[in-house]
Amino acid sequence: MEQSLESVGEKVLDQVRDLLPVLRDRAPEAEAERRIPAASIQALQETGVLRLLQPRRYGGHEAHPTVFYRAVRLIASACGSTGWVTSVLGVHPWHVGLFAEEAQREVWAEDLDTRISSSYAPQGKATAVDGGFRFSGKWSFSSGSDHSTWVLLGGLVIGPDGRPTDFRTFLLPRTDYTIDDVWDTVGLRGTGSNDILVDDVFVPEHRTLSFQNTAKCVCPGQELNDGPLFRMPYGTIHPFAITAPLIGMADGAYEAYAGHTKARVRASYLGEKAKDDPFAQVRVARAAGEIDAAWLQLERDVNEEYALAAEGTRIPVDLRLRARRDQVLGSARAIDATDRLYESAGGKAINAPSVIARFWRDAHAARVHAANDVERALVMYGRSELGLPVTDGMF
């Protein structure tokens, strides 16, 4: 079975590589239209990348997570927005695989290619009623929502005294929410990360998942999907899906910078060829080192966690914390590499159509995602190493 899964993963990666020139050519269109072209979404669907983390019983590949992250990195190296949306839409089937069986059937019974967007911040309020919850709220930053027919939303369950009693993820079909087209940003313009509006809808209990259970890696869907993929921590799988496209964007900036620098002549330095500038050469080397370090740590952490999950061993807290540490630092390294290249790309790099400028804008927009909160993650790791209690569940 492992060999079969490996073959499937390589096939998906080969098809993704074949698609990169098309995605690269469509990057300006995605940015201008503020959403990924429908043709690109369809092409990505056909590669199988959006099913890599989907449960096998529902037509997915249930692949090793690093295969998924490698695919995302490749796509983001061609178009940052497309890589971001692929990562977001591609990681959600994994999360749905943790929900109760009835919820999974509702999502995939009629369409194994169902796409799900999200906005996990607890902006919604829910009150318990017979069989489930009444749910309302407004959420921002739901990437790829225009291409999705379900959504995962964060919300607080409010008790009779008006105080929160639980933090849950709520799974809703397209008929239960409205998309408000508000996305107009400096970077990641093509992601279509619009607002989601929900007005007092009923969400059955089976389409909710307590974040307490998610953080403890004890969810109802694990009885149905009992492979190692679904024993991985949310705090690794989801945040790494934010860092993988950032590393891809740094790859794209690196490739664009190298090509630009080879041909560039520096007028301010009496026609010196930029490629002969030793300072440019140092920036290339340092950027490459930062990108490599970010990726190597990501792969190491995921591989170690997956190996323990495959053995049926519970993944220890110290490894989960280290993974979060490396994830936020991986995002920071990708940003540093992109900055280092952009800063020495010359005056023409500030033109809006510049490929380097687009990757720079996209990377900085991705940096502000909550999963990239460097200080918070490092404080958790440092507290643990010093024998202090850690209370934040995002690891």
Side-chain angles (χ1 to χ4, degrees):
M1 179 60 72
E2 287 302 319
Q3 180 60 42
S4 175
L5 287 175
E6 183 177 340
S7 299
V8 168
E10 288 303 321
K11 181 179 178 182
V12 170
L13 289 171
D14 284 343
Q15 292 186 65
V16 164
R17 291 186 187 98
D18 290 341
L19 189 59
L20 295 184
V22 174
L23 299 180
R24 190 174 292 112
D25 289 344
R26 288 180 183 157
E29 177 186 351
E31 190 170 51
E33 296 297 322
R34 300 181 299 111
R35 58 179 288 169
I36 306 305
S40 295
I41 295 293
Q42 182 59 40
L44 289 165
Q45 196 83 61
E46 291 171 1
T47 68
V49 65
L50 297 180
R51 287 200 196 184
L52 281 173
L53 301 186
Q54 190 162 313
R56 194 176 300 117
R57 67 176 56 248
Y58 289 109
H61 301 312
E62 209 167 308
H64 194 294
T66 56
V67 177
F68 174 68
Y69 298 134
R70 285 168 63 195
V72 166
R73 179 183 179 182
L74 286 168
I75 294 164
S77 74
C79 173
S81 288
T82 304
W84 183 271
V85 169
T86 300
S87 202
V88 168
L89 298 185
V91 78
H92 291 153
W94 175 86
H95 196 185
V96 173
L98 301 179
F99 278 71
E101 181 177 4
E102 189 174 353
Q104 296 183 52
R105 282 203 308 269
E106 289 177 7
V107 170
W108 288 307
E110 296 183 3
D111 185 4
L112 297 177
D113 286 328
T114 295
R115 293 187 290 270
I116 309 126
S117 69
S118 71
S119 185
Y120 286 106
Q123 297 299 307
K125 292 186 178 180
T127 55
V129 295
D130 188 26
F133 302 88
R134 302 301 305 186
F135 190 50
S136 297
K138 177 181 179 179
W139 295 259
S140 298
F141 312 117
S142 189
S143 301
S145 51
D146 286 339
H147 301 291
S148 303
T149 54
W150 287 77
V151 69
L152 292 156
L153 299 171
L156 298 175
V157 179
I158 306 301
D161 62 356
R163 297 180 179 180
T165 61
D166 197 6
F167 171 19
R168 293 192 174 219
T169 303
F170 295 78
L171 177 62
L172 281 67
R174 184 66 183 82
T175 52
D176 284 354
Y177 63 91
T178 301
I179 299 173
D180 189 10
D181 185 353
V182 298
W183 191 245
D184 188 9
T185 56
V186 172
L188 291 180
R189 287 182 59 82
T191 62
S193 304
N194 287 304
D195 288 359
I196 301 293
L197 308 177
V198 175
D199 184 15
D200 191 30
V201 301
F202 173 73
V203 183
E205 171 76 27
H206 67 266
R207 280 203 268 112
T208 73
L209 191 61
S210 173
F211 204 82
Q212 295 180 31
N213 293 336
T214 305
K216 295 175 183 176
C217 297
V218 180
C219 299
Q222 291 168 322
E223 297 180 10
L224 188 68
N225 305 311
D226 58 359
L229 176 62
F230 295 96
R231 292 196 291 273
M232 295 280 287
Y234 175 97
T236 296
I237 294 293
H238 262 264
F240 278 42
I242 300 303
T243 297
L246 256 168
I247 296 173
M249 294 172 211
D251 285 333
Y254 183 88
E255 182 179 347
Y257 178 87
H260 173 68
T261 301
K262 288 175 184 177
R264 179 181 164 211
V265 175
R266 306 184 70 183
S268 299
Y269 290 88
L270 304 177
E272 176 190 68
K273 293 182 179 179
K275 67 180 180 181
D276 293 329
D277 179 1
F279 300 108
Q281 295 159 8
V282 169
R283 284 180 182 264
V284 166
R286 290 179 69 90
E290 294 292 342
I291 295 168
D292 281 352
W295 186 256
L296 289 170
Q297 284 189 305
L298 182 151
E299 280 199 321
R300 179 197 65 176
D301 295 335
V302 173
N303 286 337
E304 287 187 23
E305 288 191 0
Y306 190 86
L308 291 174
E311 295 171 358
T313 301
R314 190 168 182 80
I315 298 169
V317 170
D318 61 344
L319 177 52
R320 294 170 63 178
L321 284 168
R322 190 189 78 191
R324 271 288 280 153
R325 178 202 72 185
D326 294 344
Q327 177 260 316
V328 294
L329 290 178
S331 292
R333 287 190 174 101
I335 291 289
D336 288 346
T338 304
D339 282 350
R340 199 179 299 278
L341 298 169
Y342 180 71
E343 288 166 2
S344 71
K348 291 184 178 180
I350 67 173
N351 294 332
S354 162
V355 173
I356 298 174
R358 184 170 60 245
F359 280 119
W360 184 84
R361 293 193 301 271
D362 288 346
H364 277 273
R367 167 64 182 84
V368 301
H369 191 282
N372 290 326
D373 189 339
V374 177
E375 290 78 13
R376 188 175 299 276
L378 295 186
V379 164
M380 286 193 298
Y381 180 83
R383 287 181 64 87
S384 176
E385 289 293 292
L386 295 173
L388 298 170
V390 177
T391 57
D392 195 314
M394 179 60 78
F395 63 89

